[in-house]
Amino acid sequence: MPLTESQATVLATLAALEPTQSLTVRQLCERTGFTSSGARKIVNGLAASGLARCNRRAPAGWQITHRGSMLINAAQYGDYRSGSPGGDAA
């Protein structure tokens, strides 16, 4: 499943965390520059695809899943992992 540029950015941000860490939507916004509604839409879509999950603790935080890690570590997303998103992500 090819990711959009926005999805790849959020997934790479979550992938950079330690396995026990999570990010709230507010923290995702601070790190990615997305609006709150935009970040929520992206993480909800990633969760529906099994690529991210919400830990449901207060405050609710988002984490990458094993499936999400496998996808973002694919060669085509290397620019996102290095912190400089390429413009050719679908």
Side-chain angles (χ1 to χ4, degrees):
M1 155 189 159
L3 297 171
T4 65
E5 187 173 330
S6 298
Q7 289 172 324
T9 298
V10 169
L11 206 56
T13 301
L14 294 175
L17 300 174
E18 293 295 323
T20 58
Q21 292 180 309
S22 62
L23 293 176
T24 64
V25 169
R26 175 180 277 167
Q27 292 167 323
L28 276 170
C29 293
E30 290 169 358
R31 293 185 186 201
T32 62
F34 294 122
T35 64
S36 179
S37 62
R40 283 183 199 285
K41 183 177 179 180
I42 294 165
V43 291
N44 284 328
L46 292 171
S49 299
L51 303 175
R53 67 175 170 263
C54 184
N55 67 17
R56 304 284 182 208
R57 291 184 298 222
W62 291 90
Q63 299 172 308
I64 195 167
T65 63
H66 177 70
R67 183 173 172 215
S69 293
M70 298 287 288
L71 182 60
I72 201 64
N73 285 317
Q76 70 210 55
Y77 299 113
D79 287 347
Y80 293 92
R81 291 189 313 274
S82 67
S84 56
D88 62 347

